[in-house]
Amino acid sequence: MEIHKQKICIIGLGYIGLPAAAMFASNGHKVIGVDINNEVIDALEKGEVIIEEPYLKNMVEQEVISGNLIASKKPQVADAFIIAVPTPLSKDKKADMSLVKKATESIVPYLRKGNIVVLESTSPTGTVKNLIIPILKKSGLKIGEELYVGYCPERVLPGQILFELVNNNRIIGGINKKSSEKIKELYQIFVKGEMYITDTITAEMCKLVENTYRDVNIAFVNELSKICEYTGADVWEVIKLCNKHPRINIHQPGPGVGGHCLAIDPWFIVEKNPDLARIIKLARETNDSMPQFIFNKIENILKNIKGTKKVTILGITYKANIDDTRESPIINLIQLLEKHNYKISVVDPYVKEFRYKVENVAEAANNSDLLVLAVNHKDFKDLDFDLIAKNMQNKIILDTRNYFDKNIVEKEGFKYYLLGKANE
Ligand code: SAJ
Protein backbone atom coordinates (compact mmCIF):
# COMPACT_ATOMS: atom_id res chain seq x y z
CA MET A 1 0.00 0.00 0.00
CA GLU A 2 1.37 3.41 -0.88
CA ILE A 3 1.68 5.71 2.11
CA HIS A 4 0.49 9.27 2.06
CA LYS A 5 3.80 11.00 2.62
CA GLN A 6 3.54 13.60 5.35
CA LYS A 7 5.92 16.41 6.19
CA ILE A 8 6.61 16.56 9.91
CA CYS A 9 8.52 19.34 11.58
CA ILE A 10 10.08 18.37 14.93
CA ILE A 11 11.31 21.20 17.12
CA GLY A 12 14.03 20.09 19.54
CA LEU A 13 16.40 17.26 18.61
CA GLY A 14 17.30 15.92 22.04
CA TYR A 15 16.72 12.53 23.64
CA ILE A 16 13.07 12.59 22.57
CA GLY A 17 12.86 14.72 19.41
CA LEU A 18 15.69 13.04 17.51
CA PRO A 19 14.53 9.43 18.00
CA ALA A 20 10.98 10.46 17.05
CA ALA A 21 12.31 12.26 13.97
CA ALA A 22 14.30 9.16 12.94
CA MET A 23 11.26 6.98 13.51
CA PHE A 24 8.89 9.06 11.32
CA ALA A 25 11.60 9.25 8.65
CA SER A 26 12.25 5.52 8.67
CA ASN A 27 8.55 5.01 8.03
CA GLY A 28 8.83 6.92 4.79
CA HIS A 29 7.82 10.42 5.87
CA LYS A 30 9.68 13.66 5.32
CA VAL A 31 11.02 15.07 8.59
CA ILE A 32 12.48 18.50 9.19
CA GLY A 33 14.47 18.34 12.41
CA VAL A 34 14.85 21.79 13.94
CA ASP A 35 17.23 22.81 16.70
CA ILE A 36 18.77 26.06 17.88
CA ASN A 37 22.02 24.32 18.82
CA ASN A 38 24.55 24.55 15.95
CA GLU A 39 26.41 21.50 17.21
CA VAL A 40 23.26 19.36 16.88
CA ILE A 41 22.49 20.66 13.38
CA ASP A 42 26.09 20.32 12.13
CA ALA A 43 26.20 16.74 13.41
CA LEU A 44 22.83 15.84 11.91
CA GLU A 45 23.77 17.27 8.52
CA LYS A 46 26.61 14.75 8.51
CA GLY A 47 24.27 11.99 9.65
CA GLU A 48 25.81 12.01 13.12
CA VAL A 49 24.32 12.26 16.60
CA ILE A 50 25.78 13.78 19.75
CA ILE A 51 23.82 11.68 22.22
CA GLU A 52 24.51 8.10 23.16
CA GLU A 53 21.50 5.82 22.67
CA PRO A 54 21.59 2.25 21.34
CA TYR A 55 20.83 1.94 17.58
CA LEU A 56 20.05 5.66 17.20
CA LYS A 57 23.22 6.56 15.31
CA ASN A 58 22.63 3.98 12.56
CA MET A 59 19.01 4.90 12.15
CA VAL A 60 19.73 8.63 11.89
CA GLU A 61 22.59 8.06 9.47
CA GLN A 62 20.38 5.95 7.21
CA GLU A 63 17.55 8.48 7.17
CA VAL A 64 19.85 11.42 6.48
CA ILE A 65 21.27 9.47 3.52
CA SER A 66 17.77 8.54 2.31
CA GLY A 67 16.89 12.25 2.38
CA ASN A 68 13.88 11.71 4.65
CA LEU A 69 15.51 13.45 7.60
CA ILE A 70 16.74 16.99 7.10
CA ALA A 71 18.38 19.25 9.68
CA SER A 72 17.33 22.87 9.83
CA LYS A 73 17.75 25.86 12.12
CA LYS A 74 14.27 27.11 11.29
CA PRO A 75 10.88 25.41 10.94
CA GLN A 76 9.28 25.01 7.52
CA VAL A 77 5.73 24.72 6.25
CA ALA A 78 4.62 21.16 7.11
CA ASP A 79 1.61 18.96 7.88
CA ALA A 80 2.44 18.46 11.55
CA PHE A 81 4.60 20.15 14.17
CA ILE A 82 5.91 18.35 17.23
CA ILE A 83 7.48 20.35 20.05
CA ALA A 84 10.01 18.33 22.06
CA VAL A 85 12.24 20.94 23.69
CA PRO A 86 13.56 20.75 27.28
CA THR A 87 11.62 22.17 30.23
CA PRO A 88 14.37 22.52 32.84
CA LEU A 89 13.88 23.29 36.49
CA SER A 90 14.75 26.83 37.53
CA LYS A 91 16.67 27.61 40.74
CA ASP A 92 13.41 28.23 42.61
CA LYS A 93 12.11 24.76 41.58
CA LYS A 94 9.71 26.00 38.90
CA ALA A 95 9.40 24.83 35.31
CA ASP A 96 11.35 27.03 32.93
CA MET A 97 8.98 27.19 29.96
CA SER A 98 10.98 29.69 27.92
CA LEU A 99 12.11 27.11 25.34
CA VAL A 100 8.56 25.81 24.84
CA LYS A 101 7.37 29.39 24.40
CA LYS A 102 10.11 30.16 21.88
CA ALA A 103 9.55 26.92 19.96
CA THR A 104 5.81 27.60 19.72
CA GLU A 105 6.40 31.17 18.57
CA SER A 106 8.86 29.92 15.96
CA ILE A 107 6.27 27.77 14.19
CA VAL A 108 3.51 30.40 13.99
CA PRO A 109 4.58 31.88 10.60
CA TYR A 110 4.58 28.39 9.05
CA LEU A 111 1.17 27.20 10.25
CA ARG A 112 -1.46 26.40 7.61
CA LYS A 113 -5.08 25.24 7.66
CA GLY A 114 -5.34 21.55 8.60
CA ASN A 115 -2.01 21.41 10.48
CA ILE A 116 -1.44 19.46 13.70
CA VAL A 117 0.55 20.88 16.63
CA VAL A 118 1.60 18.50 19.41
CA LEU A 119 3.47 19.29 22.60
CA GLU A 120 5.60 16.38 23.86
CA SER A 121 7.74 18.23 26.42
CA THR A 122 7.02 17.45 30.06
CA SER A 123 5.11 20.50 31.27
CA PRO A 124 3.10 21.75 34.22
CA THR A 125 -0.65 21.22 33.93
CA GLY A 126 -2.41 23.92 31.92
CA THR A 127 0.52 24.56 29.55
CA VAL A 128 -1.37 23.82 26.33
CA LYS A 129 -4.34 25.96 27.37
CA ASN A 130 -2.47 28.88 28.93
CA LEU A 131 0.81 29.03 27.02
CA ILE A 132 0.53 27.20 23.69
CA ILE A 133 -2.94 28.17 22.48
CA PRO A 134 -2.62 31.92 23.03
CA ILE A 135 0.55 31.84 20.87
CA LEU A 136 -0.99 29.63 18.17
CA LYS A 137 -3.96 32.01 17.91
CA LYS A 138 -1.58 34.53 16.36
CA SER A 139 -1.64 32.37 13.20
CA GLY A 140 -5.20 33.54 12.63
CA LEU A 141 -6.33 29.93 12.30
CA LYS A 142 -9.38 28.64 14.21
CA ILE A 143 -7.95 26.51 17.01
CA GLY A 144 -9.50 23.04 17.04
CA GLU A 145 -11.20 23.56 13.67
CA GLU A 146 -8.42 24.66 11.35
CA LEU A 147 -5.50 23.86 13.62
CA TYR A 148 -5.49 20.62 15.62
CA VAL A 149 -3.69 20.88 18.94
CA GLY A 150 -2.88 18.62 21.87
CA TYR A 151 -0.47 17.07 24.33
CA CYS A 152 1.10 13.67 23.82
CA PRO A 153 3.80 12.98 26.40
CA GLU A 154 6.84 10.87 25.66
CA ARG A 155 7.29 7.94 28.05
CA VAL A 156 10.47 6.30 26.82
CA LEU A 157 13.26 4.99 29.02
CA PRO A 158 16.78 6.23 28.19
CA GLY A 159 18.78 3.20 27.09
CA GLN A 160 15.82 1.62 25.29
CA ILE A 161 14.26 4.63 23.62
CA LEU A 162 13.80 3.19 20.13
CA PHE A 163 12.10 0.04 21.37
CA GLU A 164 9.82 1.90 23.78
CA LEU A 165 8.96 4.61 21.26
CA VAL A 166 7.32 1.95 19.11
CA ASN A 167 5.94 -0.38 21.74
CA ASN A 168 4.83 1.79 24.67
CA ASN A 169 1.21 2.82 25.07
CA ARG A 170 0.61 6.54 24.52
CA ILE A 171 -1.70 9.06 26.08
CA ILE A 172 -3.22 11.64 23.77
CA GLY A 173 -4.81 14.77 25.13
CA GLY A 174 -6.20 16.74 22.21
CA ILE A 175 -8.02 20.00 22.91
CA ASN A 176 -11.09 18.49 21.21
CA LYS A 177 -12.14 15.18 19.67
CA LYS A 178 -10.99 16.06 16.18
CA SER A 179 -7.54 17.12 17.47
CA SER A 180 -7.11 13.85 19.40
CA GLU A 181 -8.09 11.81 16.34
CA LYS A 182 -5.64 13.70 14.15
CA ILE A 183 -2.81 13.28 16.67
CA LYS A 184 -3.60 9.58 17.01
CA GLU A 185 -3.38 9.13 13.23
CA LEU A 186 -0.03 10.91 13.25
CA TYR A 187 1.54 8.69 15.92
CA GLN A 188 0.01 5.56 14.40
CA ILE A 189 2.70 5.96 11.76
CA PHE A 190 5.08 4.09 14.08
CA VAL A 191 3.45 3.43 17.48
CA LYS A 192 2.39 -0.17 17.99
CA GLY A 193 1.22 0.31 21.59
CA GLU A 194 -2.33 1.34 22.50
CA MET A 195 -3.26 5.00 22.22
CA TYR A 196 -5.54 6.30 24.92
CA ILE A 197 -7.44 9.51 24.31
CA THR A 198 -8.23 11.88 27.17
CA ASP A 199 -8.53 15.62 27.77
CA THR A 200 -5.45 17.82 27.62
CA ILE A 201 -4.98 18.62 31.29
CA THR A 202 -5.38 14.96 32.28
CA ALA A 203 -2.72 13.99 29.74
CA GLU A 204 -0.41 16.65 31.15
CA MET A 205 -1.01 15.39 34.68
CA CYS A 206 -0.45 11.72 33.66
CA LYS A 207 3.07 12.46 32.49
CA LEU A 208 3.96 14.16 35.78
CA VAL A 209 2.28 11.47 37.85
CA GLU A 210 4.16 8.58 36.22
CA ASN A 211 7.53 9.95 37.24
CA THR A 212 6.27 11.20 40.59
CA TYR A 213 4.91 7.74 41.40
CA ARG A 214 8.38 6.32 40.87
CA ASP A 215 10.11 9.14 42.77
CA VAL A 216 7.81 8.75 45.79
CA ASN A 217 8.29 5.00 45.84
CA ILE A 218 12.07 5.36 45.67
CA ALA A 219 11.95 7.96 48.47
CA PHE A 220 10.06 5.44 50.60
CA VAL A 221 12.75 2.83 50.14
CA ASN A 222 15.59 5.34 50.56
CA GLU A 223 14.05 6.38 53.86
CA LEU A 224 13.76 2.71 54.73
CA SER A 225 17.46 2.22 54.01
CA LYS A 226 18.27 4.97 56.53
CA ILE A 227 15.94 3.39 59.10
CA CYS A 228 17.48 -0.05 58.57
CA GLU A 229 20.97 1.32 59.18
CA TYR A 230 19.84 2.37 62.64
CA THR A 231 17.71 -0.65 63.50
CA GLY A 232 20.20 -3.29 62.38
CA ALA A 233 17.94 -4.78 59.70
CA ASP A 234 19.30 -5.33 56.20
CA VAL A 235 17.15 -3.24 53.83
CA TRP A 236 17.93 -5.44 50.79
CA GLU A 237 16.79 -8.55 52.60
CA VAL A 238 13.70 -6.68 53.82
CA ILE A 239 12.84 -5.69 50.23
CA LYS A 240 13.47 -9.16 48.85
CA LEU A 241 11.30 -10.84 51.45
CA CYS A 242 8.51 -8.24 51.45
CA ASN A 243 8.33 -8.49 47.65
CA LYS A 244 7.31 -12.14 48.10
CA HIS A 245 3.95 -10.77 49.26
CA PRO A 246 1.48 -10.85 46.36
CA ARG A 247 0.60 -7.15 46.57
CA ILE A 248 3.98 -5.63 47.39
CA ASN A 249 6.59 -4.41 44.91
CA ILE A 250 9.21 -2.24 46.59
CA HIS A 251 11.73 -0.24 44.54
CA GLN A 252 15.52 -0.21 45.05
CA PRO A 253 17.36 2.22 47.34
CA GLY A 254 20.50 3.97 46.15
CA PRO A 255 22.65 7.08 46.40
CA GLY A 256 19.77 9.27 45.18
CA VAL A 257 17.54 9.90 42.19
CA GLY A 258 18.89 11.62 39.11
CA GLY A 259 18.07 12.23 35.48
CA HIS A 260 15.97 14.85 33.84
CA CYS A 261 12.65 13.25 34.73
CA LEU A 262 12.17 11.84 38.23
CA ALA A 263 14.32 14.49 39.88
CA ILE A 264 12.42 17.30 38.14
CA ASP A 265 8.83 16.46 37.19
CA PRO A 266 7.47 16.14 40.75
CA TRP A 267 8.41 19.79 41.30
CA PHE A 268 6.01 20.76 38.48
CA ILE A 269 3.17 19.33 40.56
CA VAL A 270 4.45 21.06 43.71
CA GLU A 271 4.74 24.34 41.79
CA LYS A 272 1.04 24.34 40.91
CA ASN A 273 -0.20 22.82 44.18
CA PRO A 274 2.16 23.98 46.95
CA ASP A 275 -0.28 23.35 49.80
CA LEU A 276 -1.59 20.00 48.61
CA ALA A 277 1.50 18.24 47.27
CA ARG A 278 3.05 17.40 50.64
CA ILE A 279 4.19 13.78 50.24
CA ILE A 280 5.49 14.60 46.77
CA LYS A 281 7.65 17.44 48.09
CA LEU A 282 8.96 15.42 51.01
CA ALA A 283 9.81 12.55 48.66
CA ARG A 284 11.87 14.90 46.49
CA GLU A 285 13.70 16.21 49.55
CA THR A 286 14.28 12.67 50.85
CA ASN A 287 15.83 11.52 47.57
CA ASP A 288 17.92 14.70 47.41
CA SER A 289 19.26 13.94 50.90
CA MET A 290 20.85 10.64 49.86
CA PRO A 291 24.27 11.96 48.72
CA GLN A 292 24.68 13.56 52.17
CA PHE A 293 23.63 10.30 53.81
CA ILE A 294 26.21 8.37 51.77
CA PHE A 295 28.83 11.02 52.56
CA ASN A 296 28.13 10.65 56.30
CA LYS A 297 28.47 6.90 55.97
CA ILE A 298 31.84 7.35 54.23
CA GLU A 299 33.02 9.68 57.01
CA ASN A 300 32.02 7.08 59.55
CA ILE A 301 33.73 4.22 57.70
CA LEU A 302 36.98 6.18 57.36
CA LYS A 303 36.92 7.91 60.75
CA ASN A 304 39.98 6.10 62.10
CA ILE A 305 42.17 6.81 59.11
CA LYS A 306 44.61 9.69 59.62
CA GLY A 307 45.69 12.26 57.02
CA THR A 308 44.20 12.91 53.58
CA LYS A 309 41.85 10.13 52.55
CA LYS A 310 41.39 8.95 49.01
CA VAL A 311 38.07 7.68 47.68
CA THR A 312 37.58 5.96 44.32
CA ILE A 313 34.11 6.37 42.86
CA LEU A 314 32.81 3.79 40.40
CA GLY A 315 30.22 5.41 38.14
CA ILE A 316 29.01 9.01 37.93
CA THR A 317 26.01 8.79 35.59
CA TYR A 318 22.48 9.10 36.96
CA LYS A 319 21.84 5.40 36.35
CA ALA A 320 23.46 2.28 34.96
CA ASN A 321 24.71 1.67 31.42
CA ILE A 322 24.07 5.13 29.97
CA ASP A 323 26.29 8.20 29.47
CA ASP A 324 23.93 10.75 31.00
CA THR A 325 25.13 12.65 34.08
CA ARG A 326 22.24 15.14 34.29
CA GLU A 327 21.08 15.62 37.90
CA SER A 328 23.28 12.71 38.91
CA PRO A 329 23.36 12.36 42.71
CA ILE A 330 26.93 11.07 42.40
CA ILE A 331 28.06 14.51 41.25
CA ASN A 332 26.58 15.89 44.50
CA LEU A 333 28.42 13.23 46.48
CA ILE A 334 31.69 14.18 44.76
CA GLN A 335 31.09 17.86 45.61
CA LEU A 336 30.65 16.93 49.28
CA LEU A 337 33.90 14.93 49.23
CA GLU A 338 35.70 17.86 47.54
CA LYS A 339 34.39 20.26 50.17
CA HIS A 340 35.91 18.05 52.85
CA ASN A 341 39.28 17.74 51.08
CA TYR A 342 39.13 14.10 50.11
CA LYS A 343 41.35 12.93 47.28
CA ILE A 344 39.12 11.52 44.58
CA SER A 345 39.43 9.32 41.54
CA VAL A 346 36.56 8.37 39.29
CA VAL A 347 35.98 5.56 36.80
CA ASP A 348 33.09 5.66 34.36
CA PRO A 349 33.40 3.81 31.06
CA TYR A 350 30.34 5.62 29.65
CA VAL A 351 31.43 9.20 30.34
CA LYS A 352 34.05 10.65 28.02
CA GLU A 353 35.45 13.36 30.27
CA PHE A 354 35.20 14.21 33.95
CA ARG A 355 37.57 15.74 36.47
CA TYR A 356 39.51 12.95 38.29
CA LYS A 357 38.57 10.47 35.57
CA VAL A 358 40.91 7.49 35.33
CA GLU A 359 40.53 4.77 32.72
CA ASN A 360 40.52 1.60 34.77
CA VAL A 361 39.57 0.62 38.29
CA ALA A 362 42.90 -0.88 39.34
CA GLU A 363 44.71 2.31 38.34
CA ALA A 364 42.10 4.58 39.96
CA ALA A 365 42.26 2.57 43.17
CA ASN A 366 45.97 3.28 43.51
CA ASN A 367 46.56 4.45 47.12
CA SER A 368 42.81 4.63 47.76
CA ASP A 369 41.28 3.96 51.13
CA LEU A 370 37.78 3.26 49.87
CA LEU A 371 36.07 2.04 46.71
CA VAL A 372 32.49 3.33 46.35
CA LEU A 373 30.23 1.46 43.94
CA ALA A 374 27.97 4.37 43.00
CA VAL A 375 26.46 3.22 39.68
CA ASN A 376 25.81 -0.42 38.85
CA HIS A 377 27.23 -0.29 35.30
CA LYS A 378 27.48 -3.81 33.86
CA ASP A 379 31.21 -3.12 33.33
CA PHE A 380 31.71 -3.21 37.12
CA LYS A 381 30.24 -6.68 37.54
CA ASP A 382 33.37 -8.79 37.19
CA LEU A 383 36.19 -6.65 38.49
CA ASP A 384 39.64 -8.02 39.22
CA PHE A 385 39.38 -7.50 42.98
CA ASP A 386 42.67 -9.24 43.58
CA LEU A 387 44.55 -6.66 41.49
CA ILE A 388 42.51 -3.73 42.84
CA ALA A 389 43.19 -4.80 46.45
CA LYS A 390 46.93 -4.84 45.78
CA ASN A 391 46.85 -1.17 44.75
CA MET A 392 44.81 0.14 47.66
CA GLN A 393 46.04 1.76 50.84
CA ASN A 394 43.07 0.42 52.81
CA LYS A 395 40.91 -2.33 51.35
CA ILE A 396 37.39 -1.08 51.96
CA ILE A 397 34.29 -1.14 49.73
CA LEU A 398 31.04 0.77 50.10
CA ASP A 399 28.37 -0.71 47.86
CA THR A 400 25.42 1.67 47.42
CA ARG A 401 23.52 -0.70 45.08
CA ASN A 402 23.95 -4.14 46.60
CA TYR A 403 25.84 -5.01 43.43
CA PHE A 404 29.01 -6.80 44.51
CA ASP A 405 29.13 -10.28 45.97
CA LYS A 406 30.10 -9.84 49.62
CA ASN A 407 31.73 -13.28 49.79
CA ILE A 408 33.93 -12.65 46.75
CA VAL A 409 35.22 -9.26 47.89
CA GLU A 410 35.76 -10.45 51.46
CA LYS A 411 37.82 -13.34 50.10
CA GLU A 412 40.08 -10.75 48.46
CA GLY A 413 40.59 -9.11 51.85
CA PHE A 414 38.12 -6.24 51.53
CA LYS A 415 36.00 -4.92 54.36
CA TYR A 416 32.53 -4.66 52.79
CA TYR A 417 29.93 -2.02 53.70
CA LEU A 418 26.46 -1.80 52.20
CA LEU A 419 23.92 1.04 52.02
CA GLY A 420 20.92 0.14 54.17
CA LYS A 421 22.89 -2.02 56.57
CA ALA A 422 24.59 -0.73 59.71
CA ASN A 423 28.38 -0.30 59.63
CA GLU A 424 29.82 -3.06 61.77
N1 SAJ B 1 16.21 4.62 40.79
C1 SAJ B 1 16.37 4.20 42.09
N2 SAJ B 1 15.68 3.10 42.50
C2 SAJ B 1 14.85 2.41 41.68
C3 SAJ B 1 14.67 2.86 40.35
C4 SAJ B 1 15.37 3.97 39.93
O1 SAJ B 1 17.12 4.78 42.88
O2 SAJ B 1 14.26 1.42 42.14
C5 SAJ B 1 16.91 5.85 40.33
C6 SAJ B 1 17.92 5.62 39.22
O3 SAJ B 1 19.16 5.22 39.73
C7 SAJ B 1 17.95 6.99 38.58
C8 SAJ B 1 16.53 7.53 38.75
O4 SAJ B 1 15.95 6.70 39.75
O5 SAJ B 1 18.83 7.87 39.27
C9 SAJ B 1 15.67 7.52 37.51
O6 SAJ B 1 15.84 6.35 36.76
P1 SAJ B 1 14.64 5.56 36.05
O7 SAJ B 1 15.22 4.39 35.34
O8 SAJ B 1 13.57 5.30 37.01
O9 SAJ B 1 14.00 6.58 35.02
P2 SAJ B 1 14.49 7.62 33.90
O10 SAJ B 1 14.57 8.97 34.54
O11 SAJ B 1 15.66 7.15 33.13
O12 SAJ B 1 13.20 7.57 32.92
C10 SAJ B 1 11.91 7.89 33.46
C11 SAJ B 1 10.91 6.81 33.03
N3 SAJ B 1 9.68 6.94 33.80
C12 SAJ B 1 9.11 5.91 34.45
O13 SAJ B 1 9.58 4.79 34.44
C13 SAJ B 1 7.83 6.19 35.15
C14 SAJ B 1 10.62 6.94 31.54
O14 SAJ B 1 9.58 6.05 31.15
C15 SAJ B 1 10.20 8.39 31.20
O15 SAJ B 1 9.92 8.56 29.84
C16 SAJ B 1 11.35 9.28 31.58
O16 SAJ B 1 11.54 9.16 32.99
C17 SAJ B 1 10.99 10.71 31.18
O17 SAJ B 1 11.50 11.17 30.14
O18 SAJ B 1 10.14 11.32 31.83
Side-chain angles (χ1 to χ4, degrees):
M1 193 180 73
E2 195 162 323
I3 54 166
H4 166 60
K5 208 169 181 170
Q6 300 218 38
K7 192 167 166 189
I8 301 156
C9 195
I10 301 194
I11 323 290
L13 299 175
Y15 282 87
I16 302 306
L18 187 57
M23 205 56 94
F24 280 116
S26 73
N27 280 274
H29 298 272
K30 189 96 185 162
V31 179
I32 311 300
V34 182
D35 206 292
I36 50 171
N37 183 343
N38 289 336
E39 208 193 332
V40 173
I41 296 297
D42 292 348
L44 189 56
E45 276 170 351
K46 286 185 248 157
E48 289 168 9
V49 296
I50 61 166
I51 52 176
E52 202 55 54
E53 176 64 30
Y55 315 112
L56 184 62
K57 194 182 175 312
N58 282 355
M59 197 171 178
V60 166
E61 194 179 7
Q62 241 170 28
E63 294 316 318
V64 170
I65 292 169
S66 79
N68 279 348
L69 177 54
I70 292 167
S72 170
K73 276 201 200 140
K74 279 192 175 160
Q76 295 181 8
V77 171
D79 298 298
F81 295 83
I82 295 176
I83 298 170
V85 294
T87 49
L89 195 66
S90 65
K91 280 214 168 64
D92 57 350
K93 310 273 186 218
K94 302 237 162 71
D96 175 353
M97 300 305 287
S98 57
L99 294 172
V100 171
K101 185 166 176 273
K102 259 197 212 142
T104 314
E105 283 165 349
S106 77
I107 64 172
V108 171
Y110 305 95
L111 294 173
R112 303 289 181 265
K113 199 173 165 187
N115 278 174
I116 302 168
V117 178
V118 188
L119 176 66
E120 277 210 31
S121 311
T122 305
S123 304
T125 48
T127 296
V128 169
K129 183 167 174 240
N130 304 322
L131 179 69
I132 305 282
I133 289 182
I135 298 172
L136 296 181
K137 276 187 178 158
K138 292 181 193 157
S139 68
L141 296 166
K142 288 200 192 98
I143 309 294
E145 287 172 46
E146 293 175 331
L147 191 63
Y148 307 110
V149 184
Y151 185 65
C152 181
E154 58 80 15
R155 310 167 103 183
V156 289
L157 196 71
Q160 48 194 66
I161 290 180
L162 292 181
F163 175 83
E164 291 208 354
L165 210 48
V166 173
N167 294 290
N168 283 4
N169 302 326
R170 298 283 298 228
I171 297 169
I172 294 171
I175 55 157
N176 57 5
K177 195 163 172 269
K178 186 82 183 162
S179 293
S180 291
E181 281 166 3
K182 286 281 187 184
I183 296 169
K184 186 173 173 182
E185 264 171 42
L186 177 68
Y187 282 94
Q188 259 166 350
I189 289 174
F190 65 79
V191 173
K192 293 203 181 109
E194 291 294 326
M195 284 194 262
Y196 298 100
I197 290 177
T198 184
D199 60 81
T200 315
I201 200 156
T202 303
E204 289 168 333
M205 185 57 107
C206 283
K207 170 67 200 181
L208 301 179
V209 166
E210 288 165 8
N211 285 340
T212 303
Y213 164 83
R214 210 159 155 78
D215 195 49
V216 170
N217 276 282
I218 298 166
F220 165 68
V221 75
N222 277 339
E223 181 167 290
L224 215 56
S225 74
K226 293 180 181 177
I227 292 168
C228 285
E229 295 229 354
Y230 289 102
T231 55
D234 174 340
V235 77
W236 305 94
E237 190 73 0
V238 169
I239 296 165
K240 194 172 90 192
L241 297 175
C242 290
N243 281 348
K244 306 275 182 210
H245 183 290
R247 283 174 297 283
I248 289 177
N249 188 8
I250 304 176
H251 284 62
Q252 301 288 297
V257 167
H260 40 107
C261 309
L262 272 64
I264 292 175
D265 302 0
W267 288 116
F268 294 5
I269 299 183
V270 176
E271 171 186 343
K272 295 274 171 191
N273 312 274
D275 299 329
L276 297 173
R278 292 166 58 195
I279 292 175
I280 295 171
K281 183 163 184 271
L282 192 56
R284 258 314 41 253
E285 288 163 355
T286 304
N287 287 333
D288 278 350
S289 75
M290 290 312 288
Q292 180 71 54
F293 185 74
I294 302 286
F295 173 76
N296 294 350
K297 194 167 163 85
I298 291 175
E299 288 259 274
N300 186 275
I301 292 170
L302 300 180
K303 64 177 182 288
N304 293 327
I305 296 172
K306 301 266 170 318
T308 309
K309 298 158 195 176
K310 184 180 168 194
V311 175
T312 296
I313 309 272
L314 304 187
I316 49 165
T317 56
Y318 85 86
K319 66 173 186 178
N321 310 326
I322 59 165
D323 73 335
D324 197 338
T325 55
R326 286 179 292 175
E327 313 294 323
S328 170
I330 319 307
I331 309 276
N332 297 343
L333 174 63
I334 289 172
Q335 282 165 354
L336 284 168
L337 290 165
E338 281 172 332
K339 214 170 104 188
H340 291 82
N341 302 318
Y342 279 78
K343 275 186 82 181
I344 301 162
S345 64
V346 155
V347 183
D348 196 310
Y350 294 82
V351 175
K352 287 196 186 80
E353 270 174 51
F354 188 75
R355 55 190 191 279
Y356 322 119
K357 186 172 150 107
V358 181
E359 278 317 306
N360 73 71
V361 182
E363 196 190 320
N366 203 17
N367 286 326
S368 263
D369 300 292
L370 175 71
L371 206 60
V372 178
L373 188 279
V375 183
N376 44 339
H377 287 314
K378 58 181 183 321
D379 313 60
F380 298 144
K381 196 65 203 174
D382 299 306
L383 293 176
D384 186 345
F385 287 108
D386 178 34
L387 182 65
I388 295 165
K390 281 193 185 111
N391 284 355
M392 288 179 75
Q393 185 82 27
N394 284 287
K395 298 169 195 34
I396 313 173
I397 286 178
L398 169 59
D399 186 346
T400 69
R401 307 267 184 184
N402 195 19
Y403 197 54
F404 291 149
D405 186 325
K406 182 173 186 276
N407 294 327
I408 291 179
V409 297
E410 282 184 347
K411 225 164 62 200
E412 298 297 347
F414 282 96
K415 178 98 182 95
Y416 178 77
Y417 293 94
L418 184 60
L419 166 68
K421 195 164 185 285
N423 295 351
E424 281 159 14

